[in-house]
Amino acid sequence: QVQLVESGGGLVQAGGSLRLSCAASGRTFSTYWMGWFRQAPGKEREFVAALGRTSSTYYADSVKGRFTISRDDAKNTVYLQMNSLKPEDTAVYYCAARIALGLTSMAEDYDYWGQGAQVTVSS
């Protein structure tokens, strides 16, 4: 069983930055493929970014060039650096871990999920 705990959410003005962290339990974190998703009120959960074991990355078009996903395997942590934030980035952000190989944007392909962190961007 893997437990994921997000932190770093909050309120920021448009154009500002935030960094989300996701700490994972377990001794095999380095083998997981990690992802970030978000869900805005009244909308479905959507893919944000994914990161493989060899640092390969995959981003949604809506965040490409503004968000960066990274990992520190020594700390069992994955990060989401969010720059140039927009009001439409407001959502609950979820960290997810995938045991199988391969980058994917499909939520159903991920095996474990965190509880979510609220990010609110004011205009």
Side-chain angles (χ1 to χ4, degrees):
Q1 188 73 12
V2 176
Q3 291 187 326
L4 303 173
V5 179
E6 300 97 336
S7 61
L11 173 65
V12 64
Q13 287 188 331
S17 298
L18 279 176
R19 188 177 79 158
L20 299 179
S21 300
C22 173
S25 65
R27 292 175 290 179
T28 57
F29 173 77
S30 63
T31 67
Y32 305 152
W33 296 65
M34 302 299 296
W36 286 96
F37 290 76
R38 66 187 181 186
Q39 188 166 18
K43 295 187 177 181
E44 293 188 353
R45 190 170 298 191
E46 66 172 2
F47 169 75
V48 175
L51 175 65
R53 294 183 292 178
T54 57
S55 297
S56 52
T57 57
Y58 178 29
Y59 295 94
D61 288 343
S62 59
V63 307
K64 200 173 295 182
R66 299 188 299 122
F67 291 12
T68 302
I69 187 172
S70 62
R71 67 193 299 160
D72 184 338
D73 290 340
K75 296 182 178 179
N76 278 15
T77 301
V78 64
Y79 304 97
L80 185 68
Q81 177 67 43
M82 304 183 292
N83 299 329
S84 302
L85 282 161
K86 304 175 182 180
E88 51 263 45
D89 294 318
T90 295
V92 176
Y93 283 71
Y94 297 90
C95 171
R98 169 175 163 81
I99 307 302
L101 299 178
L103 289 173
T104 175
S105 62
M106 304 298 291
E108 55 265 35
D109 291 336
Y110 289 81
D111 303 289
Y112 302 101
W113 292 83
Q115 82 289 348
Q118 177 69 47
V119 171
T120 303
V121 184
S122 63
S123 57

